[in-house]
Amino acid sequence: MSSQIEKTQAQLLKHHGGNGYQASLMIANSYDVRHDHAFWQFWDETVACHYQSGDGVLDLGAGIGQFVRDCANRYPESSVYGIDAATYMVNDAVILPDNATILLDDLNSPQAAIPANSLGMVMANNMVHELTQPIKMFKATYQWLKPGGRFCIIDPIRQPLQQQFDKAYSQKQLWGDETSVEALENAFEYFLEHNRYHAEDLIYLLESAGFKVADNSTLLKGKFIRLVVEK
């Protein structure tokens, strides 16, 4: 295992509060809420609209593989891949159909052996902000997608600092001497991790990689962006 992926794994574990089991459990328990009927209707109408039988499907930051499993069942004639760097996610993956696999890879510099121009659909759900930089992943995704293939990105976008801190602390707690330096550092690190980009930043990066924006909307009162781009 390379030192780079070990560095990424350590970063992800810290991002997940130092408890990989708890992180995988939280993802598992929230999956159905995040992938309800409205989501799949959006997916069918906006992401899968150019899908052709046999096109590959990829989930970036696949976690324990629930979306990989569901796509493999929805598209049984396709090869469906998931990529994740966290061993505690990959090792705890759900049972997958025969046409699906999860690959251990570092999305800061993807090396997965996915054929160029073979994918019809790619998802990156709540993971772009976890990367130290997304450019290598965007370049790899562009290479893997076939012309006309679509890439869906759902990710938190920049919110005011006050909104984050008012949720976490009262003014007394925030400015009180009893609040530890460690707690404040964790609060600021969380803010920086989850407020890295404006919507315009992500669009700039994706268009610079060669993608064309096909759909642009926000979720959860503007806290998340949902972009669909096309090769």
Side-chain angles (χ1 to χ4, degrees), residues 37-58:
H37 175 75
F39 167 83
W40 286 111
Q41 183 176 7
F42 157 81
W43 177 266
D44 289 339
E45 293 175 354
T46 312
V47 185
C49 54
H50 294 172
Y51 170 81
Q52 294 180 323
S53 179
D55 288 347
V57 183
L58 170 63

Side-chain angles (χ1 to χ4, degrees), residues 22-181:
Q22 187 62 37
S24 63
L25 187 64
M26 181 180 67
I27 289 171
N29 290 341
S30 65
Y31 178 81
D32 289 339
V33 173
R34 293 180 288 111
H35 298 81
D36 57 8
H37 175 75
F39 167 83
W40 286 111
Q41 183 176 7
F42 157 81
W43 177 266
D44 289 339
E45 293 175 354
T46 312
V47 185
C49 54
H50 294 172
Y51 170 81
Q52 294 180 323
S53 179
D55 288 347
V57 183
L58 170 63
D59 185 20
L60 298 166
I64 62 172
Q66 292 161 292
F67 188 71
V68 175
R69 175 201 60 201
D70 286 357
C71 284
N73 287 326
R74 291 171 74 90
Y75 312 107
E77 69 283 2
S78 294
S79 294
V80 181
Y81 308 94
I83 294 177
D84 207 288
T87 53
Y88 52 83
M89 295 289 187
V90 175
N91 293 340
D92 198 31
V94 298
I95 297 173
L96 298 174
D98 291 341
N99 61 318
T101 186
I102 296 182
L103 308 171
L104 186 69
D105 195 13
D106 184 358
L107 289 170
N108 287 295
S109 181
Q111 304 296 318
I114 297 174
N117 302 306
S118 66
L119 302 179
M121 299 178 288
V122 178
M123 168 61 90
N125 194 343
N126 202 25
M127 57 77 54
V128 172
H129 69 280
E130 296 186 350
L131 301 177
T132 54
Q133 52 74 30
I135 287 178
K136 295 295 186 181
M137 186 187 75
F138 289 166
K139 288 183 65 176
T141 300
Y142 190 87
Q143 180 182 19
W144 293 329
L145 272 173
K146 71 172 192 175
R150 292 202 162 185
F151 178 22
C152 179
I153 303 98
I154 301 174
D155 220 63
I157 51 177
R158 186 72 184 238
Q159 303 294 311
L161 181 67
Q162 180 180 354
Q163 182 171 312
Q164 177 68 50
F165 276 29
D166 282 353
K167 181 179 178 181
Y169 294 101
S170 68
Q171 285 291 303
K172 182 178 178 180
Q173 291 172 319
L174 184 63
W175 295 100
D177 292 339
E178 67 277 9
T179 303
S180 69
V181 171

